[in-house]
Every structure is written in C-alpha cells, then in structure tokens.
Amino acid sequence: HESGHAWVATRQGRAIQNVQIGLGPTIWRGELAGTDLQFRLIPVAGLTRVATDPSAPPSLASEGAMFGSGIV
C-alpha cells in the first residue's frame, strides 16, 4: 500500500523522504533508492513522507492541516 503512494509521488516528480510500515519501535531500518525505509513492530498503519517543495505556493500545510503537507 505504501509503495503505491511512493510510486505515485515519484511519477509526479516528487522525492520520497521515508516510508514507514507499522507502528511502535523500529525493528528494521534500511535505505532503498535513497529513501529511508522502516519496518515497525506492529504491522498496522503506515506512512509515506514526501519531500515538500519550498518554492511551492502556500497550502493548507502552512495552516497546520495534514492535507498538502507532503503526505500522499
């Protein structure tokens, strides 16, 4: 699931900062194609963090909302 988010973001020309799969303490951490990859103890939920473009126009991220903050 998270790889799908990462794939779409890279197709849009955006860099991926990290991908986290699961919750809790990290049980494995590595790097794949310049992206930090983490597997955590409890295999529910996940996160794909997309690098934001500082030259982009202001979005909801500047107002503290999750949408537009680089999370795809």
Side-chain angles (χ1 to χ4, degrees):
H1 177 95
E2 295 308 319
S3 64
H5 291 299
W7 182 80
V8 168
T10 55
R11 297 283 295 169
Q12 294 176 348
R14 301 189 63 193
I16 306 300
Q17 289 180 331
N18 70 339
V19 175
Q20 296 176 18
I21 299 173
L23 299 172
T26 302
I27 57 173
W28 183 85
R29 184 178 200 155
E31 189 174 304
L32 178 64
T35 300
D36 179 45
L37 184 59
Q38 298 177 28
F39 287 92
R40 296 181 175 242
L41 185 61
I42 305 167
V44 296
L47 169 75
T48 299
R49 189 174 309 252
V50 180
T52 56
D53 181 2
S55 64
S59 67
L60 292 174
S62 61
E63 298 172 15
M66 180 174 76
F67 302 105
S69 64
I71 298 175
V72 175

